[in-house]
Amino acid sequence: MKSPLTGSDTTYDVLGIGFGPSNLALAIAIDEHNATLPADRRINALFLERQPRFGWHRGMLIDDATMQVSFLKDLVTLRDPASDFSFLCFLRERGRLVDFLNQKTLFPLRVEFHEYFEWAAERVRHLVAYDHEVTAIDPVRDDTGTVTHFEVVCRDPERPDRHVTHRARDISVAVGLEPHVPPGVELSERIWHNSQLLPRVTELATTGTPVRRAVVLGAGQSAAETVDYLHRSFPEAEVCAVFAKYGYTPADDSPFANRIFDPQAVDVYFVAPSEVKQSLFDYHRSTNYSVVDMELIEALYATAYQEKVTGRERLRFLNVSRIRDVALRRDGGLDVAVEFLPTGERRVLEADVLVHATGYRPRDLTALLGEASKVCLRDDGDAIRVSRDHRVETAPDVAAGIYVQGGTEHTHGLTSTLLSTTAIRAGEIHRSLLARRTASV
């Protein structure tokens, strides 16, 4: 769909780069703000998204997988419980509110929460230009040498060989995480990252490609979900889980530990010395990193034990192990060399599929910002400095602002890349934008 905003000469108050849940929450905050004001007092905003439509981890929308965060931590509720962009309002419109409540759960299906995101994104469609991949962000100076705005260059969706430039006084960068694989790994038709799980499995089923053995590397929630999904999807195949731990580690979702995700925890983390920040991060890794829901751990163990009883073991766990080498066989399959770490003993698994469920990492802000990164200030560890309102600290001669959502664990803590404080963060950025706009008048 062609955006009505393409080619506009407008200088926007804020330009969003990326349109996942974070910038979607910001777009909602801006839209609700604008709805109550005359045109001359509204925030003029545009959000650019390289995908042709809204999508959030589509490759892992397993039919029975549930969210690991309460539905009350949706796009708006913690910022404004009365907002009609809430998950509960979505359920009411879909006619499922009472049915959902009867489940007595705080954790909806991931598929349903994605449907909620799509519903919300469609309601602010007038603020979004899809199929717009950003290729450059350039600071623009006035006659006094002050950076007054940014020019954001993106590919023209109608003519990929041409570019379209948008101008904005402030930008909000929220491009999400990128799949991480071990160094030297090259993805292919047989070697995937789990972010492509569903389309890859569908492709194998459609082409009739036989899967006799699948190997999954990783010990976190997505790895365990991938193991379970492959085991169910290929009922004749053996599925081998490889990880360096002795077993899956349960996620710590106890009430006190979960306070690390409270909005107030961001305030505490932000002002803490660097060594305290690191301690907090280390203490609470078990709330999010390389951990698995206990229910899934127990289900996988029960399945493995049942297969052992019946004498047909398809689900295998190669613990305290690492993959040391992968070779392509002439028949198109893979030879996966797995080392048992305590003894150094190696075994080669003939596999048809190798899935790296090895997590995600924040995108490189320096590379993403390009020329604009040169006006950003950095800390002693060469990380970009970010203020409490999520705005990058810039050189004194920069009046334009750069907000970042995600990639700020070094300043704002564990919630930086999670949904837990998405609504709160959107409200904080929205208030900061308003304050800066008022100050410039």
Side-chain angles (χ1 to χ4, degrees):
M1 177 184 298
K2 181 177 179 180
S3 168
L5 303 172
T6 298
S8 171
D9 293 327
T10 302
T11 298
Y12 295 95
D13 294 317
V14 60
L15 191 68
I17 299 172
F19 198 65
S22 293
N23 265 345
L24 170 55
L26 178 58
I28 293 170
I30 290 172
D31 192 60
E32 290 180 329
H33 167 86
N34 287 348
T36 64
L37 297 171
D40 62 341
R41 294 179 56 196
R42 295 172 186 169
I43 295 176
N44 192 12
L46 171 65
F47 294 84
L48 304 173
E49 170 56 49
R50 66 178 179 178
Q51 297 184 101
R53 59 192 176 110
F54 182 88
W56 176 72
H57 294 301
R58 286 184 177 275
M60 284 295 290
L61 294 179
I62 299 171
D63 53 3
D64 61 350
T66 58
M67 297 293 293
Q68 293 177 280
V69 64
S70 167
F71 71 84
L72 293 172
K73 294 182 177 181
D74 58 18
L75 296 166
V76 295
T77 297
L78 291 183
R79 173 179 62 81
D80 177 12
S83 171
D84 66 358
F85 276 88
S86 71
F87 179 70
L88 292 180
C89 287
F90 155 76
L91 288 175
R92 180 186 62 191
E93 184 171 307
R94 289 291 194 266
R96 297 199 299 260
L97 178 56
V98 174
D99 292 333
F100 178 82
L101 295 177
N102 286 339
Q103 292 187 109
K104 299 181 180 180
T105 182
L106 291 171
F107 307 103
L109 291 170
R110 197 178 296 158
V111 171
E112 184 172 37
F113 218 64
H114 190 275
E115 183 187 351
Y116 158 64
F117 286 155
E118 290 180 305
W119 169 83
E122 184 58 31
R123 292 182 62 186
V124 292
R125 178 65 180 84
H126 54 286
L127 298 178
V128 189
Y130 290 102
D131 260 333
H132 280 61
E133 181 182 4
V134 172
T135 59
I137 304 173
D138 299 320
V140 178
R141 300 180 183 273
D142 64 10
D143 294 340
T144 69
T146 300
V147 176
T148 57
H149 63 276
F150 295 100
E151 288 190 342
V152 178
V153 183
C154 54
R155 290 191 176 88
D156 187 337
E158 303 271 315
R159 295 272 305 273
D161 58 319
R162 299 181 63 180
H163 292 80
V164 176
T165 299
H166 297 286
R167 299 162 64 95
R169 298 179 184 90
D170 293 319
I171 60 175
S172 171
V173 181
V175 293
L177 304 173
E178 62 182 359
H180 171 69
V181 295
V185 170
E186 293 187 9
L187 302 181
S188 65
E189 292 184 357
R190 299 294 184 125
I191 303 175
W192 326 323
H193 185 271
N194 69 279
S195 58
Q196 293 296 310
L197 179 66
L198 266 61
R200 290 292 192 176
V201 168
T202 299
E203 181 181 352
L204 289 175
T206 301
T207 60
T209 303
V211 178
R212 295 171 290 272
R213 176 182 285 141
V215 178
V216 179
L217 175 65
Q221 179 71 21
S222 62
E225 289 179 355
T226 297
V227 167
D228 179 62
Y229 185 74
L230 291 173
H231 186 265
R232 290 187 284 124
S233 298
F234 300 105
E236 301 302 318
E238 179 181 287
V239 179
C240 299
V242 179
F243 43 79
K245 295 182 177 183
Y246 207 85
Y248 293 121
T249 300
D252 184 356
D253 61 352
S254 57
F256 286 110
N258 272 341
R259 294 178 71 176
I260 195 67
F261 302 121
D262 290 354
Q264 294 81 2
V266 178
D267 295 326
V268 172
Y269 191 94
F270 185 80
V271 299
S274 58
E275 62 272 16
V276 176
K277 284 185 170 74
Q278 188 61 52
S279 293
L280 287 171
F281 188 87
D282 293 340
Y283 285 147
H284 295 284
R285 284 185 63 87
S286 60
T287 58
N288 183 61
Y289 290 97
S290 195
V291 291
V292 183
D293 287 344
M294 192 63 190
E295 184 179 355
L296 180 54
I297 293 175
E298 292 174 340
L300 288 172
Y301 190 91
T303 297
Y305 183 75
Q306 181 182 12
E307 290 182 350
K308 185 172 288 189
V309 170
T310 59
R312 184 169 181 259
E313 297 182 55
R314 293 196 302 114
L315 185 56
R316 297 182 180 275
F317 299 97
L318 307 183
N319 61 351
V320 203
S321 299
R322 291 194 185 278
I323 293 175
R324 292 302 189 190
D325 188 45
V326 179
L328 182 65
R329 299 200 312 270
R330 289 184 177 181
D331 63 359
L334 306 168
D335 284 334
V336 182
V338 179
E339 178 184 353
F340 185 57
L341 296 175
T343 64
E345 179 185 356
R346 293 194 182 193
R347 60 183 296 190
V348 176
L349 302 176
E350 293 185 2
D352 299 292
V353 169
L354 169 60
V355 184
H356 286 86
T358 44
Y360 298 79
R361 63 184 175 191
R363 299 181 190 275
D364 182 0
L365 270 179
T366 299
L368 182 69
L369 292 172
E371 288 298 310
S373 69
K374 296 178 181 179
V375 302
C376 302
L377 301 181
R378 296 178 178 271
D379 61 21
D380 293 340
D382 200 37
I384 289 178
R385 287 162 49 180
V386 184
S387 301
R388 179 60 187 86
D389 63 355
H390 311 280
R391 185 164 55 92
V392 173
E393 295 184 20
T394 53
D397 60 352
V398 179
I402 303 172
Y403 293 86
V404 288
Q405 302 201 62
T408 56
E409 284 187 338
H410 63 297
T411 54
H412 290 68
L414 282 167
T415 59
S416 169
T417 59
L418 307 177
L419 293 176
S420 297
T421 58
T422 297
I424 294 290
R425 184 173 60 227
E428 291 170 343
I429 294 175
H430 175 233
R431 287 193 298 274
S432 178
L433 288 168
L434 289 177
R436 284 169 50 75
R437 190 181 185 196
T438 299
S440 65
V441 174

